[in-house]
Amino acid sequence: MKILITGGAGFIGLHLAQYLAGLGHSVVIIDNAASNGESTGANNVNSSNFEFLDIDLCECLDRSTINKDFTHIIHLAALLGVQNVIDNAYDVLTKNIRMMSTVINIAKSQTKLEQFIFASTSEVYAGTLIAGLLKIPSPETSKIVLPDLSQPRTSYMLSKLYGEAMCQHSDLPWLIIRPHNIYGPRMGFKHVIPQLLRKAVSSKNGELEVFSCDH
């Protein structure tokens, strides 16, 4: 397989790229972390069939620079992180949709594409949970209920829900996944589980505040 992973220098993307390259598949990562002055870790992938492209999917992209023989495209790139969503709700909403449009256009230019995989989010169920209509475990037939759109955190789930609709109307061979809180090595402290672990370690009164929880 020849696989393109957007957001591939991130926590999930880089682990996935290393795994797939290790299986002998040809893997190309697109990410703009290097241009933001961040350490991507992509240079540590020890594989001859691995390539990193420093590209900002929110900018005007010359699609002729992207190969057209990918068999699989995995779209992980997104603006995310609880604090980022709260502080930059408009950017999260608009830039995630812009990136989605760009990657779908890349996918449509492929000649050998077998599957386009879009990483949505479990937060599409946020309104359903608030409405008391979400069962645990949650079947895929669970209704999607919109929460209060004025809340900044709604921007992330809306961008992902819109992305799901774009997939379904794209005429691509799509697969949508809705990851719940994945965690592991190299994920940093911008996500909910490491933040909770940090709070638990630093708590002076034995109390731990958990958001989105009624108890």
Side-chain angles (χ1 to χ4, degrees), residues 8-169:
F11 161 59
I12 297 175
L14 191 55
H15 279 289
L16 183 60
Q18 288 177 311
Y19 175 76
L20 292 171
L23 292 178
H25 301 299
S26 177
V27 178
V28 176
I29 277 179
I30 286 180
D31 207 302
N32 70 330
S35 63
N36 289 333
E38 298 178 7
S39 175
T40 67
N43 293 331
N44 296 326
V45 179
N46 185 21
S47 176
S48 60
N49 52 338
F50 175 87
E51 182 181 2
F52 174 74
L53 301 178
D54 184 4
I55 294 174
D56 186 345
L57 292 170
C58 287
E59 301 295 331
C60 185
L61 175 64
D62 180 2
R63 278 184 284 151
S64 66
T65 62
I66 307 295
N67 290 338
K68 293 181 171 55
D69 58 347
F70 290 103
T71 60
H72 295 75
I73 294 178
I74 305 173
H75 181 37
L76 302 175
L79 271 66
L80 72 168
V82 175
Q83 198 59 50
N84 188 39
V85 170
I86 292 172
D87 294 341
N88 305 293
Y90 186 81
D91 279 353
V92 168
L93 182 61
T94 57
K95 289 185 177 181
N96 282 351
I97 293 171
R98 192 182 309 165
M99 285 189 281
M100 185 70 182
S101 179
T102 298
V103 179
I104 283 179
N105 285 331
I106 291 172
K108 286 188 173 185
S109 71
Q110 301 302 308
T111 60
K112 298 181 179 181
L113 188 67
E114 297 177 18
Q115 194 157 68
F116 177 84
I117 301 170
F118 173 52
S120 182
T121 175
S122 61
E123 288 201 27
V124 300
Y125 298 118
T128 312
L129 178 64
I130 292 170
L133 300 175
L134 189 65
K135 297 180 180 179
I136 304 295
S138 307
E140 291 190 7
T141 53
S142 295
K143 293 183 181 297
I144 301 296
V145 179
L146 291 180
D148 181 358
L149 300 187
S150 68
Q151 297 300 313
R153 281 194 63 173
T154 305
S155 62
Y156 179 68
M157 68 83 67
L158 278 177
S159 72
K160 291 295 189 176
L161 199 56
Y162 193 91
E164 290 190 19
M166 292 175 73
C167 282
Q168 295 187 45
H169 296 287

